[in-house]
């Protein structure tokens, strides 16, 4: 029971409810490893803490000596997965798929023992299917069943186009479970429909259906949407320690408990102690520092976590301007006239992702400093001399050099 309790910690959905217990007992009875499936389409090359929620659960199964199968959807990625929004995802080229898959697999080693993982590509069997075989697989699923998927139903109701390949996609993902004889399929809650399709197809092929285990979707740094690279609200597994620390400190207080449970490796008792301290009035900033150091320890080491904390304190909490770390910027990289430039233009060139109107608002609000002097006129002329120091907002520091 202790094993089951650990494996079900933080899991949001288990289908069927007693399925995991049954699979564990079956594994003991048959004296074999369970096949635990995690599939991904290599649609973007970077993994983040949202992916890690599922990967750390896989690691628990791996530590119990079960067989982890990472299924790379190199066939399905070239078709285009329904996004869950109001349009389908753009298919990828073979080159993009290969590059992204290699990057993914390299990053997996930060959490799981990649040498003990079985890696398969679904093109191995999907490319070989004849059209007759494809039709036979499709015949096992009804349109009514597909319409149970929320985004399909919503788009159909709103008369938003649904392409045929999108309807086929979850069926192909389900067929992957048939091919690898999965006992358990892992995923986020947004993958519930696709994972249950695997159960259904396995049953039609007279197989013992897989158990579906769905992990919660970690919210991103904005505290609203799920963590997603496309929304620029992620903490990447390959981020530097300083970036990991700074990003964690930026989360809203409302996310502290979610990050505590889903991103740290504290014991249940340690998490409860931290939660109690928060309820009893502990400064949320101190809790975030504890979480940030734990995250860095997992993906780097303790020494880097301590260094990142010291950097954050010096860079963002200390009021000593000259002791900050400034990013060097050469004068030649800035478009100017006679070494002079307006403040709004200078900041716009340093922060290219920001609009000029957003920069102007920062200046007028007093969020820009030149040599530790607050300047609130966007059109002030700034002389570009070596050693000029610019602070933009709370986090960005620059120094002009030759």
């Amino acid at each position: 029971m202790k094993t089951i309790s650990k494996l079900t910690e933080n899991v949001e959905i288990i289908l069927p409810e007693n399925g995991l217990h049954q699979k564990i007992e079956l594994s003991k009875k048959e004296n074999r490893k369970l096949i635990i499936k995690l599939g991904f389409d290599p649609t973007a090359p970077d993994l983040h803490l949202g992916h890690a929620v599922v990967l750390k659960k896989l690691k628990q199964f791996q530590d119990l000596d079960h067989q982890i199968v990472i299924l790379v959807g190199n066939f399905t990625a070239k078709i285009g997965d329904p996004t869950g929004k109001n349009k389908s995802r753009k298919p990828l080229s073979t080159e993009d798929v290969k590059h992204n898959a290699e990057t993914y697999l390299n990053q997996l080693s930060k959490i799981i023992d990649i040498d003990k993982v079985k890696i398969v590509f679904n093109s191995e069997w999907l490319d070989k299917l004849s059209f007759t075989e494809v039709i036979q697989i499709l015949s096992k699923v009804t349109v009514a069943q597909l319409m149970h998927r929320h985004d399909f139903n919503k788009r159909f109701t709103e008369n938003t186009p649904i392409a045929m390949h999108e309807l086929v996609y979850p069926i192909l993902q389900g067929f992957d479970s048939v091919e690898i004889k999965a006992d358990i399929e892992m995923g986020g809650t947004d993958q519930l429909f696709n994972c249950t399709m695997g159960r259904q197809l396995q049953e039609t092929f007279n197989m013992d259906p897989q158990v579906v285990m769905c992990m919660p979707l970690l919210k991103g740094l904005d505290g609203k949407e799920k963590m997603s690279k496309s929304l620029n609200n992620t903490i990447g597994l390959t981020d530097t320690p300083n970036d990991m620390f700074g990003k964690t400190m930026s989360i809203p207080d409302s996310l502290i408990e979610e990050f505590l449970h889903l991103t740290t490796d504290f014991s249940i008792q340690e998490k409860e102690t931290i939660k109690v301290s928060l309820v009893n009035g502990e400064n949320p900033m101190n809790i975030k520092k504890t979480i940030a150091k734990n995250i860095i320890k997992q993906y780097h080491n303790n020494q880097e976590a301590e260094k990142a904390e010291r950097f954050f304190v010096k860079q963002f909490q200390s009021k000593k301007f000259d002791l900050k770390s400034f990013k060097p910027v050469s004068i030649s990289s800035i478009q100017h006239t006679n070494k002079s430039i307006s403040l709004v233009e200078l900041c716009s060139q340093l922060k290219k992702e920001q609009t000029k109107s957003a920069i102007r608002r920062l200046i007028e609000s007093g969020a820009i400093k030149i040599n530790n002097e607050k300047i609130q006129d966007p059109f002030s002329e700034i002389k570009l001399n070596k050693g000029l120091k610019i602070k933009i907002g709370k986090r960005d520091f620059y120094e002009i050099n030759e």
Side-chain angles (χ1 to χ4, degrees), residues 326-330 386-390 397-401:
F326 293 83
K327 180 180 179 181
V329 179
S330 65
K386 182 180 179 182
L388 183 78
K389 293 178 178 177
I390 308 110
F397 298 82
Y398 303 91
E399 182 173 3
I400 302 298
N401 58 23

Side-chain angles (χ1 to χ4, degrees), residues 25-60:
E25 290 303 309
L26 182 67
S27 169
K28 294 176 180 176
K29 181 180 177 181
E30 297 181 352
N31 192 29
R32 70 173 180 86
K33 300 178 180 182
L34 294 176
I35 296 174
I36 319 295
K37 171 193 172 188
L38 175 67
F40 69 84
D41 278 355
T43 51
D46 297 313
L47 296 178
H48 52 67
L49 291 185
H51 298 113
V53 175
V54 177
L55 292 173
K56 288 196 285 187
K57 186 59 61 179
L58 279 183
K59 178 67 164 59
Q60 291 181 352

Side-chain angles (χ1 to χ4, degrees), residues 246-305:
K247 288 180 180 180
T248 304
M249 295 303 294
S250 76
I251 66 172
D253 292 353
S254 59
L255 268 193
I256 288 177
E257 282 198 29
E258 186 170 325
F259 263 61
L260 178 64
H261 284 295
L262 299 182
T263 70
T264 72
D265 64 356
F266 292 122
S267 68
I268 294 175
Q269 292 76 18
E270 288 172 323
K271 289 177 181 178
E272 287 303 315
T273 299
I274 292 170
K275 282 171 62 178
V276 169
S277 71
L278 185 61
V279 171
N280 289 340
E282 178 66 65
N283 188 333
M285 181 170 285
N286 294 335
I287 304 292
K288 290 180 192 178
K289 285 181 179 179
T290 300
I291 293 171
K293 289 167 68 176
N294 181 271
I295 290 171
I296 296 166
K297 183 199 75 174
Q298 292 176 68
Y299 303 105
H300 296 279
N301 55 55
N302 273 322
Q303 185 179 7
E304 292 293 342

Side-chain angles (χ1 to χ4, degrees), residues 235-237 239-248 296 299-300:
I235 299 176
L237 299 191
D239 278 354
T240 65
N242 286 346
D243 281 346
M244 280 185 165
F245 199 99
K247 288 180 180 180
T248 304
I296 296 166
Y299 303 105
H300 296 279

Side-chain angles (χ1 to χ4, degrees), residues 119-133:
I119 298 167
V120 296
F121 296 80
N122 65 4
S123 62
E124 294 173 17
W125 49 86
L126 294 179
D127 268 335
K128 297 174 183 176
L129 292 175
S130 68
F131 193 60
T132 300
E133 290 171 320

